[in-house]
Amino acid sequence: MGHLAALGYRCGAPAPRGYGGTTAPPEPTSYTIFHIVGDLVALLDALELPQVFLVGHDWGAIVSWNLCLLRPDRVRALVNLSVAFMPRRPAEKPLDYFRRAYGDDYYVCRFQEPGIEKEFTSFDLKRFFKLALIVQTTGSSAMSLKKMRASNKEITLPPWLSEEDISYLASVYAKTGFAGGINYYRCLNLNWELMAPWTGAKVLVPTKFIVGDGDLAYHLPGVKNYVHKGGLKKDVPMLEEVVVIKGAGHFIQQERAQEVSDHIYNYIKKFNPGVPTPTLSKL
């Protein structure tokens, strides 16, 4: 954001409901994709912004894909990081997919359990975030709360992650808890039901997709083939470029901050050459 702001763009990073200082309603059914996209549309209306450039990462990417799917008129162009578009597959619900791929112990499946957010209260939150942000394992061992709690390995932070970053995250989540974020996962199957009318719908926004070749989301079953063998282009017809950054993992916007910033700027500047567009929203 600092890089783009220095180039003359007005940048904003809204906290989605359930995160930061939001009111964070407790019931999971308040976190459907309609609620989250609706919040963003309401924010754009409140700021009197008819359109923005949009950048998303991880859950922010999922929300960004859906904002573009449901309200393409509000997005001039999209740059999404790490998580590819996930079209609705009528034959299989999302949780069935994850259970089939990784089993019931996979963190996405475990997050469905009522009250699991209370398990985080027994963690040293600084240690938890260190383990979570540098995780490189896949399958049921990824983000396993039991294994993370039992781990006593020494943690060396990579250059892109500081003790200050970790302390900030730990302090925020010590106040807010984890229920808001976990509720996004609890809505996966509900979103699948609600989005039935959009089965087969296309994302009709100019798009660039960036992913690290070591990103766990890039290695989910079927994702690589989907991205590189025509599936993503079919569902996102205005996809203009896919960038795979060698040696990068999931938190690519931190690991390769300058490189990713350059990719974003080089893409969005072509829509208004020589005259920066005033607003970019980052999720």
Side-chain angles (χ1 to χ4, degrees):
M1 289 177 65
H3 178 75
L4 290 162
L7 292 168
Y9 290 82
R10 176 188 176 192
C11 304
R17 68 168 62 194
Y19 289 94
T22 67
T23 52
E27 59 278 356
T29 53
S30 293
Y31 292 81
T32 73
I33 202 64
F34 292 156
H35 287 88
I36 309 304
V37 168
D39 289 344
L40 292 177
V41 173
L43 177 62
L44 295 181
D45 289 346
L47 296 173
E48 299 182 347
L49 298 172
Q51 278 195 329
V52 291
F53 289 120
L54 189 62
V55 178
H57 173 263
D58 195 83
W59 262 106
I62 296 172
V63 173
S64 296
W65 288 122
N66 281 279
L67 174 60
C68 292
L69 183 67
L70 298 172
R71 291 299 305 271
D73 57 306
R74 305 308 296 265
V75 182
R76 183 67 185 90
L78 168 69
V79 181
N80 254 348
L81 313 178
S82 296
V83 177
F85 180 63
M86 293 180 284
R88 183 182 185 275
R89 304 190 186 283
E92 187 173 42
K93 295 180 180 181
L95 292 179
D96 292 340
Y97 161 81
F98 286 115
R99 287 194 176 99
R100 174 173 56 82
Y102 296 128
D104 290 335
D105 286 336
Y106 189 54
Y107 75 98
V108 173
C109 302
R110 287 218 62 211
F111 281 176
Q112 309 306 311
E113 300 172 14
I116 192 172
E117 57 268 32
K118 295 177 182 177
E119 290 193 20
F120 288 92
T121 61
S122 63
F123 273 103
D124 174 341
L125 289 184
K126 289 185 180 181
R127 183 169 180 80
F128 167 77
F129 279 111
K130 288 178 181 180
L131 289 168
L133 292 174
I134 63 174
V135 63
Q136 295 180 333
T137 56
T138 58
S140 61
S141 61
M143 291 290 291
S144 168
L145 300 184
K146 181 179 179 181
K147 291 180 179 179
M148 292 170 79
R149 188 184 291 109
S151 172
N152 58 5
K153 72 174 183 178
E154 185 177 347
I155 304 171
T156 301
L157 294 183
W160 53 268
L161 185 62
S162 69
E163 290 287 349
E164 184 181 5
D165 294 331
I166 294 295
S167 295
Y168 175 76
L169 286 170
S171 67
V172 169
Y173 278 86
K175 296 176 182 177
T176 65
F178 287 78
I182 288 174
N183 280 338
Y184 282 68
Y185 294 90
R186 290 171 173 158
C187 276
L188 285 172
N189 276 1
L190 178 56
N191 285 333
W192 179 88
E193 295 176 8
L194 295 172
M195 291 298 290
W198 285 268
T199 301
K202 311 296 184 185
V203 175
L204 298 176
V205 171
T207 299
K208 180 173 185 173
F209 179 62
I210 306 172
V211 66
D213 67 351
D215 193 322
L216 302 184
Y218 185 52
H219 292 276
L220 290 172
V223 169
K224 274 189 179 182
N225 283 342
Y226 174 71
V227 169
H228 297 294
K229 294 189 176 181
L232 182 59
K233 178 66 175 177
K234 179 182 176 182
D235 293 326
V236 188
M238 301 176 76
L239 176 69
E240 298 185 26
E241 188 178 2
V242 172
V243 177
V244 179
I245 297 182
K246 302 294 184 183
H250 182 63
F251 294 95
I252 193 170
Q253 78 280 15
Q254 291 169 265
E255 295 179 46
R256 302 292 181 85
Q258 188 61 53
E259 190 173 352
V260 169
S261 296
D262 289 339
H263 273 299
I264 294 169
Y265 174 65
N266 289 334
Y267 183 62
I268 65 176
K269 72 178 182 181
K270 71 178 187 176
F271 293 92
N272 289 279
V275 182
T277 295
T279 299
L280 182 141
S281 178
K282 177 182 181 296
L283 293 180

